[in-house]
Amino acid sequence: MSAGLRSGQVAEAAGVNVQTLRYYERRGLLAEPERSNGGHRLYGEDAVTALRVIKAAQRLGFTLEEVAELLEAGRHRHGRPVAGLQERAAAKLAEVDEKIADLNTIRAALAAAVEAGCDDLTVCVGSACCPIPFTDLAEENRHAGPCC
């Protein structure tokens, strides 16, 4: 390869730092680049695209391991059915929906605690009217009394 992009140029074009670029190389997410006569890494434009794909997938919630699987599936399709983006995106969407439901539950409990004026977790947990859902605590450990 007589011309190519050096590490800093690729990293800048993709919006990552050089350490990230090298880390992805070590993880096998990026192909090892050719070298100049002086030993400098020389990347093609496809490296910038690959980095952008990796970062976009991470922003969508995919782990680096999942990104590697997606990239590998894309490389080896060759007419064989391989779980690609559709199936994996649907699974990730289900995970996100579950996290949103959990966060909504947490938000409701925190809003109720703020509205109730809870100021001491220990006192609040011991109160029968505690809005924080401590369902694992035995009801007999909770005593009636003024709210937090």
Side-chain angles (χ1 to χ4, degrees):
M1 174 185 266
S2 60
L5 300 170
R6 295 193 47 185
S7 299
Q9 294 170 308
V10 172
E12 184 177 344
V16 301
N17 62 47
V18 174
Q19 290 79 16
T20 300
L21 173 68
R22 294 207 176 117
Y23 178 70
Y24 291 168
E25 240 180 78
R26 286 192 306 274
R27 293 278 311 252
L29 296 168
L30 289 175
E32 191 168 324
E34 293 189 29
R35 300 278 181 156
S36 70
N37 291 335
H40 297 286
R41 290 173 167 90
L42 295 175
Y43 298 87
E45 284 292 329
D46 58 330
V48 175
T49 301
L51 284 167
R52 288 178 178 159
V53 167
I54 293 165
K55 296 312 286 181
Q58 285 185 298
R59 283 191 298 276
L60 291 173
F62 289 100
T63 64
L64 281 181
E65 185 175 322
E66 291 168 330
V67 172
E69 291 169 2
L70 282 169
L71 293 172
E72 189 65 22
R75 288 185 196 119
H76 296 290
R77 287 190 79 98
H78 304 300
R80 295 182 315 229
V82 178
L85 182 58
Q86 281 294 312
E87 183 178 322
R88 292 168 193 250
K92 187 58 68 178
L93 182 58
E95 283 179 33
V96 168
D97 286 342
E98 190 175 309
K99 287 178 185 177
I100 289 171
D102 289 345
L103 287 171
N104 282 329
T105 300
I106 292 168
R107 186 191 189 292
L110 289 170
V114 168
E115 187 177 319
C118 296
D119 201 32
D120 184 320
L121 185 60
T122 305
V123 172
C124 185
V125 170
S127 170
C129 62
C130 177
I132 301 174
F134 293 102
T135 56
D136 292 338
L137 297 176
E139 283 299 315
E140 62 268 11
N141 289 342
R142 299 178 93 182
H143 62 280
C147 276
C148 321

